[in-house]
Amino acid sequence: MQGLALTSSSSKIVLAMFLLGLAAGAAAADGRRRHVSRSPDEPCKKMTLYYHDILYNGVNNSANATAAPATKPTALSTVFNPNGTYFGMLVVFDDPVTEDRALPVAGEEPAARAQGFYFYNMKETTSAWFAFTLVFNSTESKGTLNLMGADLMDEKTRDFSVVGGTGDFFMARGVATIRTDVIEGFYYFRLQMDIKLYECYV
Ligand SMILES: *[C@@H]1O[C@H](CO)[C@@H](O)[C@H](O)[C@H]1NC(C)=O
Ligand SMILES: *[C@@H]1O[C@H](CO)[C@@H](O)[C@H](O)[C@H]1NC(C)=O
Ligand SMILES: *[C@@H]1O[C@H](CO)[C@@H](O)[C@H](O)[C@H]1NC(C)=O
Ligand SMILES: *[C@@H]1O[C@H](CO)[C@@H](O)[C@H](O)[C@H]1NC(C)=O
């Protein structure tokens, strides 16, 4: 019996070594290896980007608008607070994302595009929930990062989760700290996004 047990566990070891060998082979073929940060102070990659939301105003900005409400606020929202918390309103966007605060000038490619949606999700106050993909298609970066989280707009900063990525950001995970940089009326706001990745394949 003891002999059998030994044989079975040593064959498991052989199998494990074989599988490890396969994994190492795959990593070598791709040339990239997984890096997991040891502490919150040591992200494996970080970047600051600006998200520009130009909401369609229904009048004269159709040429420049990159976001549009897809639903109206719910009846509950308007009954509860006539001033409007927009509870239930969904906005779909394909917004430019830049490395500095300025909007891209005509014809210039932004650093990335943010493609996704937010909806207002609090009855008592104006607050939103976001889910979107940062699509990178520049000479520096090609790939995507997927972000999601609650945008508690009353807070000075809030965190979105970076739940995954592709291309240059293959299997990335991390946290994006969001700060409202500017709000101009109802139809334009800019968010600063400090993105820190804690798991990277480089
Ligand atoms: C667009 O319409 C808004 C609201 O009527 C007005 O305030 C703004 O000046 C207009 N902008 C342009 C570029 O015509
Ligand atoms: C679009 O943006 C450009 C540059 O900011 C501005 O000159 C132009 O008036 C805008 N057009 C509309 C329709 O708002
Ligand atoms: C709506 O706005 C008015 C004026 O700012 C304010 O006095 C009132 O308290 C607000 N109502 C609610 C339900 O927030
Ligand atoms: C990415 O950029 C290339 C070169 O400018 C372009 O041909 C391609 O259509 C772009 N892809 C996307 C998804 O925007």
Side-chain angles (χ1 to χ4, degrees), residues 8-148:
S8 136
S9 65
S10 50
S11 66
K12 270 182 202 150
I13 290 167
V14 171
L15 180 65
M17 284 169 72
F18 175 69
L19 289 175
L20 276 174
L22 277 186
D30 183 45
R32 292 194 283 191
R33 288 185 181 279
R34 180 167 175 250
H35 292 261
V36 179
S37 297
R38 282 174 211 279
S39 88
D41 307 330
E42 297 170 36
C44 47
K45 185 173 177 63
K46 63 177 185 175
M47 54 188 152
T48 295
L49 294 170
Y50 294 90
Y51 163 104
H52 305 265
D53 198 59
I54 310 162
L55 198 64
Y56 180 50
N57 64 13
V59 186
N60 56 9
N61 72 346
S62 63
N64 291 358
T66 53
T71 66
K72 293 195 164 103
T74 58
L76 175 61
S77 171
T78 31
V79 167
F80 184 77
N81 183 344
N83 296 343
T85 58
Y86 310 104
F87 182 62
M89 184 169 112
L90 175 96
V91 173
V92 176
F93 57 82
D94 175 15
D95 281 339
V97 171
T98 55
E99 281 170 9
D100 50 37
R101 290 185 161 83
L103 274 169
V105 294
E108 186 187 79
E109 278 300 310
R113 298 203 73 92
Q115 302 184 333
F117 61 84
Y118 57 86
F119 49 81
Y120 292 95
N121 68 332
M122 284 177 79
K123 188 172 87 171
E124 298 84 359
T125 177
T126 305
S127 193
W129 193 90
F130 277 72
F132 61 98
T133 302
L134 288 176
V135 181
F136 295 83
N137 186 27
S138 66
T139 40
E140 297 99 73
S141 307
K142 290 195 170 35
T144 67
L145 279 177
N146 289 301
L147 283 74
M148 59 193 284

